[in-house]
Amino acid sequence: PISHHKNDTNRFRATTYQLPTMASRNIQRFVTLTCIILALISTQVSFAFGAEVVCDEKSGECAAEKKRVVTQEELSSKTGENGSPTWLSVLGEVYDVTPGSGHYGSGSSYSIFAGKDSTASFVTGDFSEEGGKASLDDLPTNQLGGIESWRKFYANHAKYTFVGVLEGKFYDKDGNPTNELLKFQERLSSAKKKRGETKR
């Protein structure tokens, strides 16, 4: 009987020692899972608010990290001329397209896009200065998806890199979306829903 009691005591001690370890592992798993979930929604947060969620895996603390805000003046100097990189903007998202500067350099077919935001031109085919400045409110609903496709093209391109958001029509000086961008997103969302209902 005494030996049994000793064995039970040893088991109790072993279990007691394991409790903090088990609790610590469960906490770590919870923190990791939380970070994974937040990472999955960070792309949506990035698109809507110009920021992405960054989490510390050890502490579990998360915060919105502001993206760089590019000025019109800075963007206009990135045309590929005089050795400068080539940047363009679509829906206010600025991308470094220097690896494809042959397509966007002076005299090329798409030079209208270099150093500026000419979002409307991506779907209208009007490559004039005025065409590039056209309001998205004037575009028919069936062209909105085309703009979003071009945004995704640059965002997912293997060689082009995201620089930041452009202060102006689509983002303010703090990197927050303007009414112009929010209206576009609302129209795009409505168009997608209608297409889904039509398919049914």
Side-chain angles (χ1 to χ4, degrees):
I2 295 176
S3 62
H4 288 312
H5 286 309
K6 286 182 178 180
N7 288 337
D8 289 341
T9 301
N10 289 336
R11 288 196 192 106
F12 174 76
R13 287 175 179 170
T15 303
T16 303
Y17 292 147
Q18 289 173 2
L19 286 176
T21 302
M22 292 171 64
S24 176
R25 287 175 181 170
N26 287 334
I27 291 173
Q28 289 177 353
R29 287 171 183 164
F30 174 76
V31 170
T32 300
L33 181 60
T34 301
C35 287
I36 290 173
I37 293 172
L38 288 170
L40 289 174
I41 66 171
S42 65
T43 300
Q44 294 300 321
V45 175
S46 171
F47 180 66
F49 301 104
E52 67 177 317
V53 175
V54 178
C55 299
D56 186 312
E57 190 169 332
K58 292 183 179 179
S59 67
E61 295 181 356
C62 300
E65 181 179 308
K66 281 287 185 181
K67 282 184 167 39
R68 176 183 174 187
V69 178
V70 178
T71 64
Q72 296 282 351
E73 182 180 6
E74 183 180 14
L75 177 61
S76 65
S77 69
K78 311 299 183 185
T79 59
E81 298 180 357
N82 301 318
S84 72
T86 305
W87 292 1
L88 60 75
S89 174
V90 55
L91 278 179
E93 295 185 7
V94 181
Y95 293 91
D96 185 338
V97 296
T98 303
S101 57
H103 301 294
Y104 305 100
S106 179
S108 66
S109 301
Y110 303 118
S111 59
I112 177 65
F113 297 111
K116 59 177 71 73
D117 189 303
S118 299
T119 296
S121 296
F122 279 99
V123 292
T124 64
D126 183 349
F127 293 164
S128 67
E129 289 291 331
E130 289 304 313
K133 296 176 182 177
S135 172
L136 301 188
D137 291 340
D138 298 330
L139 296 179
T141 303
N142 61 3
Q143 288 187 328
L144 303 183
I147 292 177
E148 175 64 359
S149 294
W150 276 108
R151 186 193 70 81
K152 288 181 178 179
F153 168 78
Y154 290 107
N156 300 322
H157 199 283
K159 295 182 179 180
Y160 301 157
T161 56
F162 177 75
V163 177
V165 294
L166 180 66
E167 178 185 354
K169 184 186 293 186
F170 301 110
Y171 289 93
D172 63 21
K173 61 183 179 61
D174 297 316
N176 299 310
T178 63
N179 288 333
E180 183 86 7
L181 179 58
L182 295 176
K183 282 192 296 182
F184 170 81
Q185 292 174 342
E186 186 176 348
R187 288 185 66 200
L188 179 63
S189 178
S190 297
K192 287 181 178 178
K193 288 179 180 178
K194 288 181 179 178
R195 283 203 301 270
E197 291 174 358
T198 302
K199 290 179 180 179
R200 290 175 191 173

